[in-house]
Amino acid sequence: MKSPPPFPSGWYALGFSEDLRAGMVVARKFMGREVVLFRTESGKLCVAASYCPHLGANLGKGGSICGEFLRCPFHGFTYGVNGECTSTPYGRPPPAARLDLLEAVEVSGVIIAYHHPAGTPAEWQVEPPPEDEFTWGPRRTKTWTFPGHPQETMENSIDVGHFLVTHRLQDPQVLQPLTTEGPRMSAMYAFRRPLPLLQRGVLMKLFTSSNGLGFSCHNLSVPQLGWETRLLVLPTPLDEVNMEFRTVFMGRMIPGVNRQTLTAALKTRFGAAPVELAMMQYILFEIRRDIAIFRHKRYLPRPALGREDRQIGQYRVWASQFYPSSRG
Ligand code: FES
Ligand SMILES: [Fe+2]
């Protein structure tokens, strides 16, 4: 088996809120389907299967917003955010003309939609990341597309062994063992990052939390720098092989840390930008190291795990809940 079953249930990202402004219509691939995202003039979000129920035009290719409605480019039928056909240019809307809607919401500036193989309503919601309400620096985003699966990329966040080799970290400590509760999972680790001029390197703490396989939040703090980076990792299956791997970066001074840090001095002089950008570049570099592995790896349903890998077995038991009719 090259991958787990391709479309696990749960909430998955379809884009960033800022990329879908009022009046916009966007086409996306999602779980082997074509979907259309639109935002009405008043700002209401809607996600639906792309094909117009009238005669099958792709609403994401030429559909337009008229006030609170999406207008099909083929015969001009209009649809509201509840899926109903509200008008046609020639007569009453046919009763069967209804959009096939996906449940969609926005969390932390990310548009997410729910997928279940049986099409059943969402049984749980994504909880906004902890401390979402606090002030973070500007959001920066980066998206990759590559062959992969969200279960595999999410597994990476609790795979302690790979941090030591792929990411060249040292002295791993488990500050919070992998903890699961329903569709949620969290863990906390600390590592030492060797640096050329600092013999002891710097301590890094990583708190990782996931809502299912499609929405995870990672806080990487470096107390010696007084800096913390929040990284959202949002893998979404496009089809049976490829996925979109969206990331969101935000940074801030760690609340309450010693103001005498280098970061504080740089912030006074230049604003937060130098440390913020350096941390983002560092994390991007490390993500590319992961992606180089993901592109070519193979999923092993029965991996040869060592004693120190036991959290991977625990993770896979947790992940199996997202395959309602099959085993993960
Ligand atoms: S196909 Fe959309 S209105 Fe006819
Ligand atoms: Fe990694």
Side-chain angles (χ1 to χ4, degrees):
M1 187 187 297
K2 188 153 187 337
S3 278
F7 306 132
S9 68
W11 292 92
Y12 295 89
L14 275 164
F16 302 117
S17 298
E18 61 267 29
D19 296 336
L20 188 72
R21 295 185 299 280
M24 283 180 70
V25 180
V26 171
R28 290 270 191 270
K29 284 195 190 318
F30 183 72
M31 304 282 175
R33 306 168 73 186
E34 302 284 331
V35 299
V36 59
L37 283 62
F38 64 93
R39 201 187 290 283
T40 66
E41 296 293 355
S42 74
K44 293 197 183 87
L45 166 73
C46 186
V47 179
S50 284
Y51 297 106
C52 177
H54 177 222
L55 276 166
N58 187 325
L59 295 162
K61 307 285 183 186
S64 56
I65 297 298
C66 303
E68 294 305 294
F69 307 110
L70 172 66
R71 184 172 186 274
C72 178
F74 201 5
H75 309 93
F77 285 27
T78 61
Y79 298 93
V81 294
N82 62 0
E84 257 174 47
C85 179
T86 52
S87 70
T88 82
Y90 44 82
R92 286 160 58 117
R98 272 195 81 82
L99 296 181
D100 179 10
L101 299 181
L102 282 75
E103 268 182 272
V105 293
E106 291 171 88
V107 175
S108 296
V110 183
I111 299 169
I112 53 174
Y114 187 76
H115 168 78
H116 190 286
T120 51
E123 293 148 357
W124 53 277
Q125 302 295 320
V126 168
E127 282 181 356
E131 301 194 335
D132 208 32
E133 71 278 16
F134 288 92
T135 311
W136 293 83
R139 283 160 55 92
R140 294 186 168 83
T141 63
K142 170 82 183 154
T143 302
W144 291 265
T145 303
F146 55 86
H149 189 284
Q151 180 181 317
E152 290 272 79
T153 53
M154 201 65 89
E155 187 171 276
N156 202 254
S157 62
I158 51 88
D159 176 357
V160 177
H162 99 289
F163 284 112
L164 309 185
V165 179
T166 308
H167 301 303
R168 280 74 160 167
L169 300 177
Q170 297 178 354
D171 302 341
Q173 296 172 57
V174 178
L175 303 182
Q176 181 207 306
L178 193 154
T179 308
T180 62
E181 190 182 350
R184 287 173 249 286
M185 166 193 92
S186 64
M188 191 169 183
Y189 306 105
F191 301 94
R192 194 165 55 79
R193 166 76 193 174
L195 289 174
L197 299 177
L198 269 180
Q199 206 183 13
R200 287 291 303 151
V202 289
L203 178 74
M204 291 182 158
K205 290 185 182 171
L206 176 66
F207 176 71
T208 183
S209 62
S210 297
N211 284 258
L213 299 177
F215 192 107
S216 65
C217 177
H218 311 269
N219 274 29
L220 182 68
S221 61
V222 185
Q224 281 149 285
L225 286 179
W227 192 256
E228 175 175 29
T229 301
R230 164 164 288 179
L231 172 66
L232 302 183
V233 176
L234 312 154
T236 302
L238 299 177
D239 53 35
E240 300 213 346
V241 175
N242 299 296
M243 70 176 187
E244 235 158 10
F245 189 79
R246 292 184 175 83
T247 54
V248 180
F249 292 81
M250 288 167 271
R252 66 172 180 178
M253 299 282 296
I254 299 173
V257 297
N258 183 351
R259 297 283 120 187
Q260 304 309 311
T261 57
L262 174 64
T263 309
L266 286 169
K267 186 165 190 277
T268 308
R269 180 78 180 78
F270 303 107
V275 177
E276 185 181 357
L277 293 177
M279 281 303 294
M280 181 175 161
Q281 289 308 321
Y282 165 68
I283 296 170
L284 281 172
F285 185 76
E286 297 301 329
I287 292 175
R288 288 192 188 100
R289 285 180 155 156
D290 281 325
I291 291 175
I293 302 279
F294 294 148
R295 280 186 191 281
H296 305 289
K297 86 182 286 292
R298 188 181 181 88
Y299 172 67
L300 297 181
R302 276 175 288 283
L305 298 177
R307 226 177 88 76
E308 297 306 315
D309 291 322
R310 59 187 171 278
Q311 72 284 355
I312 292 181
Q314 194 187 344
Y315 165 81
R316 289 196 177 191
V317 170
W318 171 78
S320 66
Q321 69 182 291
F322 304 110
Y323 305 96
S325 57
S326 55
R327 301 257 311 276

